[in-house]
Amino acid sequence: AGFDKELEQRLISVASLITTIPNIEYAADLKEGDEELRAYNYLFGKLKSVKEITSLKSVFIFDREGRLLVSSENDKIGRKIVRLEIDKSEIEKTFNNIKTSSVLFKGDDGNYYKNAYVPVIYEDDRVIAALGVSASVSYFETLNNIRNGLILIVFVSLLLIILIITIVSKGISKPVADL
């Protein structure tokens, strides 16, 4: 649970930082077919750069209906984001100006992921959209491998201790029995 909480905090921090991109509020005005607009290309370029720098799986901005406005993947505006249906309560919190994250989930590729969602706030403190980030949690696999290795080491160590105690106790008990 501690690692999950740490991952949540890191993702929320990264997402919050991304919402400080100048003119991010332009995303709320994008409509289907606006992929050629300068505002769209500007935001797409910024999100793509952030994704690459931070090694995130994806960065995306969406509206209250769960429709994509712009993403680091250059997807079409207006596409319904299926994952948001699963994270419905988290999305509702986000549009109520609460930063939140999804539960850990297994992606189509078999890897585990976690999403974080933060509100995109306009000058008048209105939530005009939400920003989501998705990250692989492959380091959990590494931690599990380390844990399994440590368990094996402890088990082998206990067996060695039992073996040594048995040998030493026989060495002590034999001379005592001979007396």
Side-chain angles (χ1 to χ4, degrees):
F3 292 116
D4 187 53
K5 197 67 175 166
E6 181 181 341
L7 180 60
E8 175 184 33
Q9 290 306 314
R10 287 182 183 210
L11 287 176
I12 287 174
S13 295
V14 169
S16 297
L17 188 59
I18 296 168
T19 63
T20 65
I21 291 173
N23 304 313
I24 197 165
E25 68 275 3
Y26 291 168
D29 295 326
L30 294 172
K31 306 285 182 258
E32 288 183 49
D34 284 350
E35 288 85 1
E36 298 303 317
L37 291 180
R38 192 166 47 192
Y40 174 84
N41 287 307
Y42 164 78
L43 290 171
F44 162 66
K46 291 291 186 185
L47 297 184
K48 184 178 177 187
S49 294
V50 168
K51 173 195 165 190
E52 291 168 359
I53 291 168
T54 58
S55 300
L56 291 167
K57 182 179 186 246
S58 64
V59 181
F60 49 98
I61 301 173
F62 56 95
D63 64 14
R64 288 182 187 274
E65 286 74 41
R67 291 183 303 237
L68 184 71
L69 298 171
V70 62
S71 80
S72 58
E73 309 308 303
N74 202 18
D75 294 324
K76 294 287 182 200
I77 298 171
R79 179 180 66 80
K80 200 80 161 142
I81 305 171
V82 178
R83 178 72 207 176
L84 299 182
E85 285 298 317
I86 298 167
D87 294 341
K88 200 171 197 156
S89 66
E90 289 84 358
I91 301 309
E92 189 176 310
K93 288 178 187 174
T94 304
F95 279 99
N96 285 317
N97 202 10
I98 299 169
K99 299 172 183 180
T100 187
S101 70
S102 69
V103 296
L104 200 62
F105 64 93
K106 195 170 193 176
D108 296 334
D109 59 3
N111 291 321
Y112 287 93
Y113 295 93
K114 189 170 188 73
N115 291 344
Y117 305 106
V118 297
V120 175
I121 311 287
Y122 193 60
E123 296 165 348
D124 60 2
D125 293 331
R126 269 185 310 130
V127 177
I128 57 171
L131 182 131
V133 295
S134 183
S136 169
V137 289
S138 58
Y139 80 90
F140 275 121
E141 293 171 9
T142 303
L143 291 176
N144 282 335
N145 291 339
I146 291 170
R147 184 198 67 200
N148 292 341
L150 289 173
I151 289 171
L152 181 63
I153 289 169
V154 168
F155 182 71
V156 169
S157 298
L158 287 173
L159 287 177
L160 285 173
I161 289 170
I162 291 170
L163 180 65
I164 291 169
I165 289 172
T166 305
I167 292 170
V168 169
S169 67
K170 282 187 180 183
I172 293 172
S173 62
K174 185 165 175 30
V176 170
D178 290 342
L179 291 177

